[in-house]
Structures are given as C-alpha cells and as structure tokens.
Amino acid sequence: MIIIVLLLYSAINFYIGIRGWQSLRRKSPLIFSLSYLFIFGLFALSYPLGSFIQKLSPSTLGDTLLLTGSFWLGMIYYLFLFTLFIDILRFIDAYNPFLPLTLKQHSLRVAATVFLVTTCLIAYGTWNARHPVTINYEITIPKTAGTSSLETLQVVMVSDIHLGQIVDNRRLKRLVNRINQLEPDIVLIPGDIIDNDINVLPNQNMIETFRKLRPKLGTYAVLGNHEYFDQQTDLAIEYLEQGNIHILRDQWTLIDNSFYVVGRDDLAKMRYTGALRQDLKTVMEGIDHRLPIILLDHQPKDLQDAVDQGVDLQLSGHTHLGQLFPNSLITKRLYELDWGYLQKESLQVIVSCGFGTWGPPVRIGNSPEIINLTIHFEK
C-alpha cells in the first residue's frame, strides 16, 4: 500500500512539475527553469522526507517539512485537477479548434493563473479549516428515558478531531471552551480523536485539557481508524481515560438509569489487529429496549444493522464530507449518508463531517463542525 501511494504521489508531482516547466521554459531564461525545478522538487519531497525524519528521530526540521508537505498535498490536488482539465481542453481543441488563439499563445500566463487560483483556494481552505461552526439538531426519540423523568437531553457531538501537530493543544483548548459554553449534559465523540501519533496527548498536555470538559453526565467515545495507526491502541485508551474520556469498545453503558450509549470498535480493527469487532447483536445483549439507545460507530456503514437491532440514534463521522471538493461526490456514493441527518425506519442517524483535518490542513466545500444536539424523550 505504501509503495502504491508513493508511486501515485510521485506520478502526480511529475505530471504537474513537467507541465509547469514546459510552460516556463518557452518564455523564460534557463536559470528560471532550473530554479523552478529545484523549488518544485523541494516541495514535492517535503512530506515523504519529513515523515522519514520523524520516524528516525522527531525534530523541528521534521515537523517543518511535514507541515510544508501537508499544505503541498492540498496544492497538488487542485493543481492536478486544473492541469488535467486544461489538457483535456487542449486535446479536444487539437481535433476541433475552439480555444482563442491568444490563450494558446500565452501558456505561461495560463500556468500562472492556475497557480494563483490554487494558492487562493488553499489560503481560503486553511482559514476555513480553523473556523469551526456549530450545527444545531433537534430530534425526538419516542421512548421514555427511564425512571429519572428526563425529558430533554443536551448532547454535544464532535468527531474526527485528529489531534497532532496541526490540530494542536491550542486548538483543543478552543474546542473545549466552545463545548463548555454549550453546557451539554453529555459529550459524545465517535472516533478519530488523534491523528496518528498518540504521544501528542502527553507531550502537548492534551490530557489535562480534556479534563476541563464539564458535561454533567460525562464524556464517552469510541475508537476510529486513526486510533489504530500507531499500533498502540491500548496506550491511546489509557491516555484518553486519564482525560476523563470513557472509551466504549464493543460495549454499552446505562447513563443515569435513563438511556444507553453503545460504542462499537471501528471496522479498521480487523485490518490492523487481525481481530474482528463483535457483531452489534452481541454487543447489545442485556440492553432493555424500552429505554432510548444511542449508538456511537465511527464509520456510517451498515445502517440497516442498527435498524434491525433496535437502535434509536446513531452518531458517526469519518467521511469529512470529502474534506476537499469535489471529493464529496465520492463520499456520497460510498455511504448511504455521508453528512447530515437521515431517518431510516425507526433509526435516526447524524453524520458529522468532523472538526479536524487529515493530510492537507485545508477544508474546501465544507466547514469543520461541532454538533449541538437536543434530544426530546416522551414523558
């Protein structure tokens, strides 16, 4: 998989690099063309080189290269799309001319325009990724919440935080403050709390930051696929539970004798550990179905399974809504619900596009979000 990704990454960089060089060399001195190739090569190598350095010996240099490379991932994504689109137009024009002659004679201006537009997109996407919005939902679960006479439950849900060098402790502090301002009864986190290195939790004092959450009924979470990346899942759970986050792994808990929160291990468990997660029927054994049942499952797959087992509300994340448009066109085909709200028979589903980012620290076509959910129960 690593070899395939590296080959694809290299091929895209080579394609963009050569097309830019071809536009530049026709109108510029040789020294400009050589400088372009050198600078382009540095950016193209920044992410793999930074990853390699961080694996050998974490350092400021490695962090800088990784951050630079992360932005470059966003740049090459849109440079590739724009360049490919232009080349398709040129191909069509070769057989059926329709492009203005002045446009074809000034390829350097076209290349410069593409680079400028892409840079502006990435600048906007960077700003957008750092300004989360609060999305409000209000639903009704037609069940009585136990013997506590609970009629309304205020839930804050936040998924895909992706804590690391980009979504650092400063941003986590702002997130915790935003959550506390909403005064939730309970906080639910459906996976991908960390990005890939669990050591950021103690190293950046994130454990202490999580302890500042003040929900009345506690904070509950499940694992996402990223919690498995570092092959130290148990240690990640230990750190998170030190921060007063209760991790549910194919298990359920009864909250305040009023409602259940069920947490499933992520589907990635099989890929990284070789062990299957338990089926939902087994996980929910012993549950009183007369009470409301809330399911946390990182990936919004197999929604019918939740319907069949009598789940009232499923909360998921994972999709990021593609993070970079037009990836959302792909996620809409991959998932029955890739973002927003869905009523499926007796099941209600909310999928968040997440708070953090993965890869490029950029969001285009969607906004990072915090879900403020009001649940009404029958009296």
Side-chain angles (χ1 to χ4, degrees), residues 193-237:
I193 299 173
I194 59 174
D195 195 39
N196 52 30
D197 180 11
I198 65 170
N199 292 315
V200 298
L201 295 173
N203 291 348
Q204 293 195 29
N205 205 29
M206 293 176 175
I207 297 172
E208 191 62 36
T209 303
F210 274 123
R211 288 176 181 159
K212 295 178 181 178
L213 283 170
R214 298 192 300 269
K216 302 171 187 175
L217 301 176
T219 301
Y220 294 85
V222 293
L223 302 178
N225 54 307
H226 280 254
E227 271 76 43
Y228 286 99
F229 278 9
D230 209 16
Q231 304 290 326
Q232 299 185 69
T233 307
D234 291 338
L235 185 57
I237 293 171

Side-chain angles (χ1 to χ4, degrees), residues 63-333:
D63 284 342
T64 302
L65 287 171
L66 274 177
L67 182 60
T68 303
S70 296
F71 282 105
W72 184 245
L73 290 174
M75 286 289 294
I76 64 169
Y77 177 80
Y78 284 106
L79 286 173
F80 172 74
L81 291 181
F82 288 141
T83 304
L84 182 63
F85 177 70
I86 290 170
D87 280 349
I88 291 173
L89 292 181
R90 291 176 65 249
F91 178 79
I92 296 173
D93 181 76
Y95 292 93
N96 185 20
F98 69 95
L99 294 174
L101 184 61
T102 54
L103 194 64
K104 292 187 279 188
Q105 290 176 339
H106 296 90
S107 58
L108 182 56
R109 292 182 184 178
V110 174
T113 301
V114 167
F115 182 80
L116 180 61
V117 170
T118 301
T119 302
C120 291
L121 267 177
I122 298 303
Y124 160 74
T126 301
W127 175 88
N128 183 45
R130 291 177 172 270
H131 290 79
V133 298
T134 300
I135 305 294
N136 297 301
Y137 290 95
E138 188 168 1
I139 67 170
T140 298
I141 294 178
K143 288 182 178 180
T144 301
T147 58
S148 65
S149 300
L150 181 67
E151 295 183 14
T152 302
L153 181 69
Q154 203 64 40
V155 178
V156 167
M157 165 198 173
V158 57
S159 75
D160 302 273
I161 305 173
H162 287 276
L163 294 171
Q165 298 303 322
I166 293 172
V167 184
D168 57 14
N169 196 37
R170 291 173 298 178
R171 291 177 66 180
L172 178 60
K173 287 179 178 178
R174 291 197 291 270
L175 171 62
V176 167
N177 289 336
R178 288 275 294 270
I179 292 174
N180 286 336
Q181 288 171 7
L182 293 171
E183 299 182 348
D185 297 316
I186 190 170
V187 174
L188 301 177
I189 309 175
D192 279 2
I193 299 173
I194 59 174
D195 195 39
N196 52 30
D197 180 11
I198 65 170
N199 292 315
V200 298
L201 295 173
N203 291 348
Q204 293 195 29
N205 205 29
M206 293 176 175
I207 297 172
E208 191 62 36
T209 303
F210 274 123
R211 288 176 181 159
K212 295 178 181 178
L213 283 170
R214 298 192 300 269
K216 302 171 187 175
L217 301 176
T219 301
Y220 294 85
V222 293
L223 302 178
N225 54 307
H226 280 254
E227 271 76 43
Y228 286 99
F229 278 9
D230 209 16
Q231 304 290 326
Q232 299 185 69
T233 307
D234 291 338
L235 185 57
I237 293 171
E238 180 182 332
Y239 286 150
L240 292 170
E241 290 189 337
Q242 288 174 14
N244 295 330
I245 298 176
H246 307 288
I247 305 297
L248 299 174
R249 302 193 67 183
D250 284 339
Q251 60 191 136
W252 54 262
T253 184
L254 177 61
I255 308 294
D256 197 32
N257 289 317
S258 301
F259 61 94
Y260 291 96
V261 175
V262 182
R264 299 198 73 184
D265 258 347
D266 186 59
L267 287 165
K269 179 179 182 178
M270 176 61 186
R271 187 191 319 158
Y272 290 98
T273 69
L276 288 170
R277 66 176 185 172
Q278 293 184 37
D279 64 90
L280 186 57
K281 182 178 180 180
T282 301
V283 173
M284 292 178 59
E285 285 181 354
I287 282 182
D288 182 355
H289 282 72
R290 291 173 298 179
L291 297 181
I293 302 169
I294 300 173
L295 171 65
L296 301 182
D297 196 353
H298 179 59
Q299 301 186 42
K301 289 192 173 183
D302 302 322
L303 300 183
Q304 187 60 46
D305 192 16
V307 174
D308 295 340
Q309 301 310 318
V311 173
D312 297 297
L313 172 65
Q314 176 171 330
L315 303 178
S316 299
H318 183 66
T319 70
H320 290 224
L321 195 56
Q323 189 168 314
L324 301 176
F325 182 82
N327 288 341
S328 56
L329 301 179
I330 299 174
T331 60
K332 287 185 186 301
R333 289 188 170 274

Side-chain angles (χ1 to χ4, degrees), residues 32-43:
F32 286 173
S33 298
L34 294 176
S35 298
Y36 161 81
L37 290 175
F38 177 74
I39 295 172
F40 189 95
L42 284 179
F43 279 110

